[in-house]
Amino acid sequence: MSESVDRARSALLTAPVDLLTKRVATLLEREHGITETELLQVDYRLAALLPLGGGEELRAPGHPAWRCFDHQQPVYADGTGYLPVSMRGERRGVLRVAPVADEGRLTGLVGIATALAHEITAVDPGTDVYRVARRSRRLTLAAEMQWELLPGRSRTRPSFSLAGQLEPAYAVRGDSFDWSDDGTQVWTATINGMGEGVVASMLTTLATCALRNARRAGISLADQAALADQAIYDLHRGEQYVATLLLRLDLHSGLLTAIDAGSPRLVLLRDGEVSVQALEAQFPLGMFEGTHYREQYIQLEPADRLFMISDGVLEATGRNVRYGETALDRMLRRTAPMSPLDAVRSVLGDLRAFVSGDLTDDAVVVCLDWFGPQAGPKHGSA
């Protein structure tokens, strides 16, 4: 079966960007007698699986395709197989294949679905084929800008797992997140740019790019904040600013460095208990000229989970009642057995249910698990 995966990779490398699934379908029919192959991509909200070629979207949680997506394992149902289309923890969707004689045949096909995920990720920046097909409705311009800016939605490595999500997914404005890792450290930024629409999105874009530029210069977290602060102030002279939570996690020691720049809140889930981390409140980026930022330190323990949560979560209102800390704490505890992506999806799903529809204010949730030095992840593979 490994030879079949190698042939799939070779076929995908030479395929036109719009024919990746067709090349996989041809190989599966020739080598495995599979005559039906369909790619179901998860939409921006993580609420629907959308066929690449059009057709009925899948929303029912109990559907075999959703069981495959949720558990990241192949699922067999009535002669049809469902394979996770994922790479490095980034879940792109599900590959539906039929007919399949029995469940045992699916294990050998997982590698082909993974190869497809890698190739879609590689070609995605240069084509609209896959972006267009994974939206259930049109994105606003501000949301388009925000989604293009993201590094991904989830990442898994042996020592950590990370995920983030934006809401309202199709109309988000100033809330965003960023991350990067080099194998020894992981950096995250949770960002809330003030304003509405494209103005907020442009401010968040400037902040994200300024923070990346500073991070890539190899300087300290405090200096990264100071340089981004100056870039925003130089342009807006304090009239617009960005609330930001910056974190750097040493993956070997578990030492967390943090800067609270008017930030979303940082919440720790440890042994089933939720605690808001008390950080020194410092000025948002761009509020004043020449702000000096100070780093704080938190020692994590293996299996600790961190949430970075914007004020749009706590302040969401339904039936004239705020969502608030009590509801949030209860929901965060429930996420303990979930992967980070499922955790942020559950928190924001609970929030949408609370307000009975789309959020009126932006909300972002980022979840980071640290497993310990060289430890294996609880959910999924590296």
Side-chain angles (χ1 to χ4, degrees), residues 194 203 222 224-243 260-262 281-294:
M194 66 178 294
L203 182 60
Q224 292 175 32
L227 287 179
D229 169 72
Q230 193 62 45
I232 297 168
Y233 185 85
D234 286 347
L235 184 63
H236 296 290
R237 312 308 295 180
E239 294 182 1
Q240 295 189 56
Y241 46 85
V242 179
D260 176 349
Q282 302 180 63
F283 292 127
L285 304 182
M287 179 174 280
F288 298 107
E289 185 174 17
T291 302
H292 174 71
Y293 290 94
R294 294 170 296 279

Side-chain angles (χ1 to χ4, degrees), residues 17-77:
V17 296
D18 59 321
L19 299 180
L20 298 180
T21 305
K22 289 186 177 179
R23 289 292 173 87
V24 168
T26 299
L27 181 139
L28 289 173
E29 183 172 9
R30 183 176 66 243
E31 299 192 4
H32 303 282
I34 290 170
T35 57
E36 298 177 28
T37 300
E38 183 178 47
L39 175 62
L40 306 169
Q41 293 188 109
V42 70
D43 83 318
Y44 285 81
R45 179 176 273 182
L46 292 168
L49 289 169
L50 308 176
L52 178 62
E56 183 179 359
E57 58 187 50
L58 301 179
R59 292 183 176 271
H63 192 281
W66 272 114
R67 297 206 310 271
C68 172
F69 183 86
D70 290 339
H71 300 292
Q72 289 296 284
Q73 296 291 334
V75 172
Y76 177 80

Side-chain angles (χ1 to χ4, degrees), residues 158-348:
S159 57
F160 77 91
S161 187
L162 174 64
Q165 176 66 6
L166 308 177
E167 281 290 343
Y170 289 87
V172 68
R173 299 170 293 273
D175 280 17
S176 189
F177 57 84
D178 192 30
W179 65 59
S180 178
D181 84 276
D182 64 4
T184 61
Q185 299 179 94
V186 58
W187 295 263
T188 70
T190 309
I191 301 168
N192 183 357
M194 66 178 294
E196 296 293 332
V198 172
V199 172
S201 186
M202 290 176 66
L203 182 60
T204 296
T205 299
L206 173 60
T208 302
C209 292
L211 287 167
R212 287 175 177 173
N213 180 255
R215 185 185 70 225
R216 291 164 183 168
I219 59 180
S220 70
L221 202 65
D223 287 340
Q224 292 175 32
L227 287 179
D229 169 72
Q230 193 62 45
I232 297 168
Y233 185 85
D234 286 347
L235 184 63
H236 296 290
R237 312 308 295 180
E239 294 182 1
Q240 295 189 56
Y241 46 85
V242 179
T244 310
L245 175 62
L246 300 178
L247 303 178
R248 183 184 68 232
L249 175 61
D250 185 305
L251 294 172
H252 295 299
S253 68
L255 182 64
L256 184 75
T257 305
I259 292 178
D260 176 349
S263 74
R265 68 173 50 200
L266 178 64
V267 181
L268 173 67
L269 179 61
R270 175 182 290 169
D271 297 329
E273 294 300 318
V274 173
S275 60
V276 177
Q277 300 303 287
L279 298 175
E280 178 188 359
Q282 302 180 63
F283 292 127
L285 304 182
M287 179 174 280
F288 298 107
E289 185 174 17
T291 302
H292 174 71
Y293 290 94
R294 294 170 296 279
E295 298 177 352
Q296 291 182 262
Y297 304 95
I298 299 171
Q299 182 60 55
L300 298 187
E301 299 177 2
D304 274 354
R305 166 167 286 181
L306 292 170
F307 284 98
M308 292 129 269
I309 299 170
S310 71
D311 56 10
V313 176
L314 288 168
E315 295 176 5
T317 302
R319 300 177 298 278
N320 297 318
V321 178
R322 289 177 66 249
Y323 188 69
E325 295 183 4
T326 301
L328 178 62
D329 287 359
R330 182 181 65 249
M331 193 64 218
L332 295 185
R333 288 189 184 92
R334 290 179 185 171
T335 71
M338 303 178 188
S339 72
L341 183 62
D342 293 330
V344 298
R345 183 168 148 220
S346 295
V347 170
L348 290 170

Side-chain angles (χ1 to χ4, degrees), residues 49-195:
L49 289 169
L50 308 176
L52 178 62
E56 183 179 359
E57 58 187 50
L58 301 179
R59 292 183 176 271
H63 192 281
W66 272 114
R67 297 206 310 271
C68 172
F69 183 86
D70 290 339
H71 300 292
Q72 289 296 284
Q73 296 291 334
V75 172
Y76 177 80
D78 300 324
T80 299
Y82 299 87
L83 306 166
V85 180
S86 306
M87 48 81 65
R88 300 183 184 275
E90 181 74 12
R91 303 187 201 177
R92 303 201 68 98
V94 173
L95 192 67
R96 185 185 69 83
V97 293
V100 179
D102 55 69
E103 187 172 3
R105 297 284 302 277
L106 293 179
T107 303
L109 301 178
V110 170
I112 295 175
T114 301
L116 177 61
H118 277 271
E119 198 59 28
I120 290 174
T121 302
V123 305
D124 209 21
T127 179
D128 290 335
V129 169
Y130 303 98
R131 286 183 176 88
V132 170
R134 64 174 178 258
R135 54 189 70 183
S136 60
R137 65 176 187 263
R138 184 175 178 177
L139 293 172
T140 64
L141 175 56
E144 190 86 53
M145 294 170 66
Q146 293 295 69
W147 284 105
E148 289 295 302
L149 197 62
L150 295 183
R153 190 145 48 186
S154 52
R155 172 82 57 85
T156 299
R157 295 197 62 166
S159 57
F160 77 91
S161 187
L162 174 64
Q165 176 66 6
L166 308 177
E167 281 290 343
Y170 289 87
V172 68
R173 299 170 293 273
D175 280 17
S176 189
F177 57 84
D178 192 30
W179 65 59
S180 178
D181 84 276
D182 64 4
T184 61
Q185 299 179 94
V186 58
W187 295 263
T188 70
T190 309
I191 301 168
N192 183 357
M194 66 178 294

